[in-house]
Amino acid sequence: MSDRTRTRLLNALKGSGPQTAAELATALAVTPVAVRQHLDGLASEQLVDFEDQKGSVGRPRRVWALTAAGHARFPDNHSTLVAGLLGGLRQLYGEEALDRLIGLREQESEALYRAALNDAPDLPSRLQRLAELRSREGYMAEVEAESDGSWLFIENHCSICAAATACQGFCRSELALFRKVVGPDAAIERCEHLLSGDRRCVYRVTQLAA
């Protein structure tokens, strides 16, 4: 199996969620036959699995998705070590020390993001620039414009998932961080949450009236 095609398939399923072989073939500009061969290879390694979904007419759609092992192929910033360190910090110094650590991380990220977003001319530009910054940190972030004039700020991967699982204060901090750096002219609400069972984290961003 071509390593490049293998990586592109895993990235496509991670970034856009479950898809059929035909949809993957179109997105990657690869023949459906080749995609199915690659998917069979990934399935043999238990990195992907499929579900046959029945429609009102015709044959069922075979929809492919990453397994837990497939998701684990994406970096999580040394999850076991991070979770252990946070647990030790809580045990030794209490919840207050953990809150201070989260606050320090938020302050450092805020300074970095503000500097990068400072000259962005409008809200969509700020969101796009923030997505680029977050993608460099491993979050696979993107921005989608909605028909109602709002935007979805999407993070297809959580590179601090273990830390956020150990302490949900990280998730609260990240929402507060986005609200600070995107600016007072926008309202931001989380509408999908990885730790609540969704496959990704999604934030709805709405432009406020002047």
Side-chain angles (χ1 to χ4, degrees), residues 7-121:
T7 300
R8 292 177 69 208
L9 278 170
L10 292 173
N11 284 341
L13 290 172
K14 182 67 174 176
S16 300
Q19 299 173 69
T20 66
E23 290 167 342
L24 287 164
T26 299
L28 302 181
V30 180
T31 66
V33 172
V35 166
R36 291 188 185 93
Q37 291 175 345
H38 292 317
L39 288 170
D40 286 341
L42 291 169
S44 69
E45 298 178 48
Q46 299 183 333
L47 298 177
V48 302
D49 200 358
F50 64 83
E51 177 183 358
D52 288 331
Q53 299 179 352
K54 294 182 179 179
S56 56
V57 294
R59 298 172 57 186
R61 297 172 68 247
R62 175 157 293 185
V63 179
W64 293 84
L66 293 180
T67 62
H71 283 289
R73 288 299 182 99
F74 292 82
D76 61 0
N77 286 1
H78 310 293
S79 59
T80 302
L81 174 62
V82 170
L85 289 173
L86 291 175
L89 179 66
R90 179 186 279 119
Q91 184 176 356
L92 288 172
Y93 303 109
E95 202 70 35
E96 182 181 352
L98 198 53
D99 289 340
R100 290 175 63 187
L101 175 65
I102 293 171
L104 176 62
R105 175 180 180 271
E106 183 178 326
Q107 291 173 13
E108 292 175 343
S109 295
E110 181 182 351
L112 175 67
Y113 294 171
R114 282 191 185 279
L117 274 59
N118 186 51
D119 61 347

